[in-house]
Amino acid sequence: MTAMVKAEGVHKSFGPVEVLKGIDLEVNTGEVFCLIGPSGSGKSTFLRCINHLEKINAGRLYVDGELVGYRQKGDKLYEMKDSEVAVKRRDIGMVFQRFNLFPHMTALENIIEAPVQVKGVSKAQARERAGQLLERVGLADKAGTYPSQLSGGQQQRVAIARALAMDPKLMLFDEPTSALDPELVGDVLDVMRDLAESGMTMIVVTHEMGFAREVGDSLVFMDGGVVVESGHPRDVLTDPQHERTKSFLSKVL
Amino acid sequence: MTVDVNKTDGPADPTPPAGPEAIKAIPVRHPWRYVSAVIALALLGAVVYAFAQGEINWGAIPDYFFDDRIIDGVLKTLLLTVLSMVIGIAGGVLLAVMRLSKNPVTSSIAWFYIWFFRGTPVLVQLFVWFNLGLVFEYINLGPIYKDYWSSFMTPLLTALLGLGLNEAAYMAEICRAGLLSVDEGQTEASHALGMSHTKTLRRIVIPQAMRVIVPPTGNEVINMLKTTSLVSAVQFFDLFKEAQDIGQNAGSTVEMYFLAAAWYLIMTSVLSVGQYYIERYYARGSSRTLPDTPFQKIKANMLSLTNRPAAGGGA
Ligand SMILES: Nc1ncnc2c1ncn2[C@@H]1O[C@H](COP(=O)(O)OP(=O)(O)OP(=O)(O)O)[C@@H](O)[C@H]1O
Ligand SMILES: [Mg+2]
């Protein structure tokens, strides 16, 4: 198996505050990789580093074998231009806790926006594809609806469809169900489960331990900017080795 | 959450039970509405009477209302308003983006521009443009164009530069507020999809910023329409200048001021209605129902004055 994402000693600081203090991990292609940890432990920050929404300060981060945000020539690193970073981001889908759908566009327009604007796909083709994606997330009848007229769960499913429309090879989920009413969580998790079964490589920051145990292939527990424990979700969740993992799990389970 | 009223549980009933009887109550009386209306009408009548008594030759107004020169002035005023606002809005968007950019050079330039043009009266700016010939004798654009400054700087160009560049400074602040009002998550989502800075700005941020930008811009347009009257000072024949000239020649100065005021009122009223529809357009997707059109609003107001509930149950 090849590594889709590889982190070696990744550090990230905001001013004087060091948020990531040397993260080492590997995400295999086709794997569902769950990231758990207490609030403020740096989970979102790490996810944002992967598609270079944040710049790392030290270490190396590779996606699909290529450095994120930099080019290496000899032993020198060159920062990529914004336009080059943008090209890399096409292959990485991201789903946010607060959906971040474009409110001035209908569900369908949200989905076709990036394929048309970025990849130059024809509108007709993009529309057809968007229709299929909406059907896949169970919202075939909501194509012409604006986000404000959708429930949270529906919005999040449109957001997933929007990310999928770019045919990413990696999907990042940052607490995709945390902002949802409990009865809406299931629909979103179903879509994610379906996506996992189709073989998508997924990194999922989540508090849904049931989902992690059932769908996840690997799980990492982060605290204070470091990886405390990692392994198969079943093992970590049922038989944690570290005190910090134990106390965190006892609070959320 | 919706409540299903027609829920049928238990043994099926062939006829659904009739709903509760509709309320027929005597509505609350609003006597003060009538009293205040009467007082307002009385005051209005007094003012009209006073003016009618005064030594004003009202007949001169209809005589000149559609005079060729007045119509020409009206068109020039409109043209100047539109062109100045185009310069102002384009410049304002550019300055706002510059001001918010990470590049310290561009953001300082924008800051300086806004500081200068907002800090000096527009009338002074107009005179400066008009008299710039004292500084630059010629305008020389190499092989393309070369002329004396005084013949290059026509009244129209002076007026456009004076009003447009000044407006850009104000529009810049309005646009900046608009751009800042858009949630950062929008930019982030757009970047995460691989959209460039420019595309993100054009397709995602600016359309959403418009909701915040349009209402004050409408005010700016109306303000601009009135401010154009200053350009008579640099020999531009707008509505005000034409009215003033006719007034002086025909010995009916005050009458022509009234005439000009009436025309300005007509134009600003039309603009206000236009503004309303533009706001409605940019409100799409932001709320579950579109706001009423002015006509729907007027209708609703009339109905509420007569104490009947507004049609459509809009409360
Ligand atoms: N742009 C920023 N500037 C300064 N500090 C930041 C910034 N973004 C995050 N932080 C800080 O970094 C730390 C980690 O934040 P992060 O959002 O990665 O945590 P998290 O693990 O995702 O937490 P949560 O579960 O609450 O989402 C927090 O202490 C936060 O205050
Ligand atoms: Mg987070």
Side-chain angles (χ1 to χ4, degrees), chain A residues 43-44 97 174-175:
Chain A
K43 307 178 300 286
S44 300
Q97 184 173 356
D174 191 356
E175 302 193 28

Side-chain angles (χ1 to χ4, degrees), chain B residues 111-129 161-163 165-170 227 230:
Chain B
W111 183 89
F112 182 82
Y113 181 100
I114 294 166
W115 171 77
F116 182 81
F117 281 90
R118 275 207 319 182
T120 52
V122 67
L123 187 59
V124 175
Q125 288 171 31
L126 281 168
F127 279 125
V128 169
W129 284 113
L161 282 175
L163 296 176
L165 296 187
N166 181 68
E167 185 58 30
Y170 286 91
T227 308
L230 289 180

